Amino acid sequence: MKRTIIITGGAGFIGSHVVRLFVNKYPEYHIINVDKLTYAGNLANLKDVEDKPNYTFVHADICDFDTIYALMQRVHVDGIIHLAAESHVDRSIKDPFTFAKTNVMGTLSLLQAAKLYWESLPEGFEGKRFYHISTDEVYGALQMTHPEGIQPPFTTKASSGEHHLAYGEQFFTEDLKYQPHSPYSAAKASSDHFVRAYHDTYGLPTIVTNCSNNYGPYQFPEKLIPLFINNIRHRKPLPVYGKGENVRDWLYVEDHARAIDVIFHRGTIAETYNIGGFNEWKNIDIIRVLIATTDRLLGRPEGADDDLITYVTDRAGHDLRYAIDSSKLQRELGWEPSLQFEEGIEKTVRWYLDNQDWMDNVTSGDYMKYYEDMYKNR
Ligand code: NAD
Ligand code: TYD
């Protein structure tokens, strides 16, 4: 079936993997990547697909309603996969307005443009789909407790009844109430509410997914994993917030892209799906894996860079633990993560070491100033 799909934020980290997957897997679709190319957007992430006949890049801001509405009419869009956002918690603490503007107003502008355009067609919303990509951070933070005082990690049950190694008894499930703590997660939560409101009020065919922390190639090096790999390579300090005890649930980015493909095509309208791989790690443990893997791949002796670990002032409002329960997605749509974490981390470290040009390109210019400002007071 022919389809025209707008993917917003396709020049960013996750968006570039989604664009690549869709362009290669669906030659009959026309994939239109709409991206403003902020500091986080980089067309070099899409070099391998930029000449494909079913791919078009449109340089635009999702907040610019007139441009977005005209684009939807011009290309006859029938599906939207919305990833464009400001995505880094530390930046949101310094500049919350930009996060509200892009994540809330930008999403609203897309919703309204899609609603107006699709309503103007004879078939209306039939066969259309507005898929909003959100984060597990909207649910807030989970505790690291066990009723009998057992020290984490321990084995516990997710809602599917399956046992998983976890740092606490509770997981994020789709029915949990939203309790965002950072300006980033508050803005994402607000955008999720607008998406649901457009379904409930106007009948717009929407889907929302909330995914855990992603890792893999093409992630901007302000996020933990690429930042630390690059610092280890250059023997720069590794700024660990607080005691490094916070827990995150990590998913390889290509597994997220595959989940988006499955949900875009087979997910139920108006539903929410959580996406994650039951893969919880304490920051400090991940950091040790990153040091060991990077040093091994660079041929450095074991333990050579352990002293780069530098404990710094904690992030304000730092969420203690994230842990996604993705049983619903696994049960209803049969999606499962394909990579074990050890394998994913090895691939990821290797990719950053092999792609120093990409790293040099994205860390030139404004990046160094941001990085120095961010860490000078810690
Ligand atoms: P990213 O910061 O790497 O990329 C964001 C992209 O959006 C960039 O290409 C940027 O240029 C573009 N963009 C920003 N503002 C825009 C605007 N006003 N108009 C058009 N384009 C704009 O982000 P990411 O990590 O790839 O995250 C993508 C989406 O997935 C976000 O919505 C994020 O909330 C969500 N998410 C991310 C993670 C994660 O671990 N990275 C986890 C769960 C959900
Ligand atoms: P990050 O990659 O920013 O993702 P998020 O805040 O969305 O989870 O951070 C992952 C974890 O690593 C988080 O607990 C904060 C911590 N962290 C550090 O300790 N030092 C750093 O320099 C960064 C960027 C993150």
Side-chain angles (χ1 to χ4, degrees):
M1 186 171 76
K2 278 185 96 61
R3 261 180 143 162
T4 301
I5 299 171
I6 288 180
I7 299 181
T8 70
F13 165 48
I14 302 171
S16 63
H17 289 275
V18 177
V19 167
R20 178 174 299 103
L21 176 68
F22 273 67
V23 166
N24 287 329
K25 187 169 172 186
Y26 301 107
E28 70 279 22
Y29 290 1
H30 183 191
I31 303 301
I32 301 174
N33 171 15
V34 175
D35 199 297
K36 182 181 173 184
L37 300 181
T38 67
Y39 77 94
N42 186 354
L43 290 177
N45 298 359
L46 289 165
K47 271 253 158 293
D48 52 328
V49 295
E50 68 185 9
D51 294 328
K52 298 264 173 154
N54 63 336
Y55 170 73
T56 304
F57 171 66
V58 175
H59 189 195
D61 184 339
I62 54 165
C63 299
D64 178 355
F65 173 82
D66 293 341
T67 300
I68 295 295
Y69 182 44
L71 174 70
M72 287 185 187
Q73 290 175 302
R74 191 170 70 244
V75 301
H76 306 293
V77 68
D78 28 48
I80 295 160
I81 304 179
H82 173 37
L83 296 110
E86 290 291 338
S87 69
H88 188 43
V89 174
D90 293 325
R91 285 186 190 251
S92 81
I93 295 169
K94 288 197 166 235
D95 178 18
F97 282 92
T98 303
F99 280 69
K101 186 166 179 240
T102 296
N103 299 3
V104 186
M105 295 308 290
T107 301
L108 183 54
S109 145
L110 283 171
L111 285 164
Q112 181 67 4
K115 169 187 174 288
L116 286 184
Y117 170 56
W118 289 338
E119 272 178 352
S120 74
L121 302 174
E123 73 272 23
F125 294 151
E126 189 59 42
K128 308 295 187 290
R129 198 154 269 220
F130 188 107
Y131 178 2
H132 175 64
I133 310 297
S134 192
T135 166
D136 61 354
E137 305 193 23
V138 298
Y139 297 118
L142 296 168
Q143 293 304 310
M144 290 208 245
T145 49
H146 187 281
E148 287 145 30
I150 296 174
Q151 281 306 302
F154 47 78
T155 302
T156 188
K157 263 195 209 168
S159 67
S160 61
E162 275 181 44
H163 288 84
H164 298 281
L165 200 62
Y167 279 84
E169 280 281 287
Q170 207 191 1
F171 293 92
F172 294 141
T173 48
E174 286 84 356
D175 53 1
L176 211 62
K177 92 171 177 202
Y178 274 29
Q179 282 188 300
H181 295 138
S182 72
Y184 162 63
S185 52
K188 289 297 291 187
S190 172
S191 65
D192 297 5
H193 290 317
F194 269 107
V195 174
R196 294 200 183 94
Y198 264 67
H199 173 268
D200 296 351
T201 308
Y202 308 109
L204 197 76
T206 61
I207 295 187
V208 177
T209 57
N210 300 81
C211 188
S212 61
N213 286 60
N214 284 215
Y215 71 99
Y218 300 111
Q219 187 169 30
F220 193 79
E222 61 186 351
K223 306 275 169 65
L224 180 78
I225 289 183
L227 173 68
F228 278 33
I229 296 170
N230 197 37
N231 282 12
I232 297 163
R233 179 187 193 127
H234 295 291
R235 295 212 148 109
K236 291 195 337 204
L238 306 176
V240 181
Y241 299 166
K243 295 186 180 143
E245 297 282 307
N246 302 63
V247 169
R248 295 292 181 267
D249 186 353
W250 294 93
L251 183 69
Y252 191 66
V253 63
E254 288 179 6
D255 279 331
H256 188 189
R258 279 195 309 105
I260 290 173
D261 176 19
V262 168
I263 294 162
F264 179 76
H265 288 97
R266 294 197 281 115
T268 304
I269 297 297
E271 285 291 326
T272 292
Y273 299 89
N274 282 349
I275 309 174
F278 293 105
N279 180 41
E280 293 179 52
W281 283 74
K282 257 189 196 176
N283 289 343
I284 193 65
D285 293 337
I286 285 231
I287 291 162
R288 294 213 171 94
V289 171
L290 290 175
I291 296 174
T293 311
T294 308
D295 280 349
R296 177 169 47 76
L297 292 176
L298 288 173
R300 293 178 187 167
E302 205 179 314
D305 289 318
D306 290 353
D307 59 356
L308 293 178
I309 292 179
T310 309
Y311 292 95
V312 298
T313 311
D314 208 354
R315 173 187 278 173
H318 196 173
D319 286 334
L320 186 61
R321 169 176 171 250
Y322 299 148
I324 274 273
D325 184 339
S326 57
S327 316
K328 173 177 169 181
L329 173 60
Q330 304 196 0
R331 191 176 58 245
E332 291 186 9
L333 300 179
W335 171 89
E336 279 194 354
S338 67
L339 274 191
Q340 291 295 320
F341 188 64
E342 289 68 15
E343 206 183 328
I345 278 291
E346 175 94 14
K347 267 177 92 157
T348 301
V349 174
R350 204 179 280 282
W351 188 88
Y352 285 101
L353 297 181
D354 288 348
N355 288 276
Q356 190 60 39
D357 286 356
W358 180 90
M359 187 61 87
D360 291 344
N361 176 1
V362 301
T363 54
S364 60
D366 286 351
Y367 172 84
M368 286 319 292
K369 182 167 178 338
Y370 162 79
Y371 188 72
E372 280 154 19
D373 286 353
M374 185 61 80
Y375 293 106
K376 83 176 161 214
N377 297 323
R378 284 192 188 263

